[in-house]
Amino acid sequence: MKEFIVDIFVFIVAILLIVIVMLQSSKDDINDAFNGSKSDLFKNQKTRGVELFMQRGTAVMAIVFIALVITSVALHTR
């Protein structure tokens, strides 16, 4: 029964992680990545406000997702 509950949490966190990543805006244009013009990839810009919240939320959700997947695998292999 514990395996089933952990699997449901893995599914919910995976969906939330996908939604958070999809809501973030891209800073670079895809054409600039391929033709090499205007490369601001490593420009030092600080994120603020909603962007900072989304960035930290993505990191936290990714860590929670990895921990849940490891827990789920450990429970299923017993």
Side-chain angles (χ1 to χ4, degrees):
M1 186 66 180
K2 287 186 265 185
E3 299 93 358
F4 182 69
I5 294 171
V6 172
D7 289 342
I8 289 188
F9 282 130
V10 168
F11 180 73
I12 291 169
V13 170
I15 296 297
L16 290 174
L17 186 59
I18 290 170
V19 169
I20 288 175
V21 169
M22 294 295 291
L23 287 175
Q24 292 181 10
S25 62
S26 176
K27 293 180 178 90
D28 292 325
D29 188 18
I30 191 70
N31 294 329
D32 293 340
F34 291 113
N35 63 16
S37 66
K38 195 184 140 201
S39 179
D40 293 335
L41 183 61
F42 298 108
K43 189 175 180 181
N44 192 7
Q45 295 179 356
K46 291 193 175 200
T47 56
R48 294 183 178 138
V50 176
E51 292 177 359
L52 180 63
F53 177 75
M54 297 293 274
Q55 187 177 20
R56 289 181 179 168
T58 302
V60 168
M61 292 302 284
I63 292 169
V64 169
F65 178 74
I66 291 170
L68 282 173
V69 168
I70 291 171
T71 303
S72 176
V73 168
L75 288 174
H76 282 288
T77 56
R78 279 206 235 169

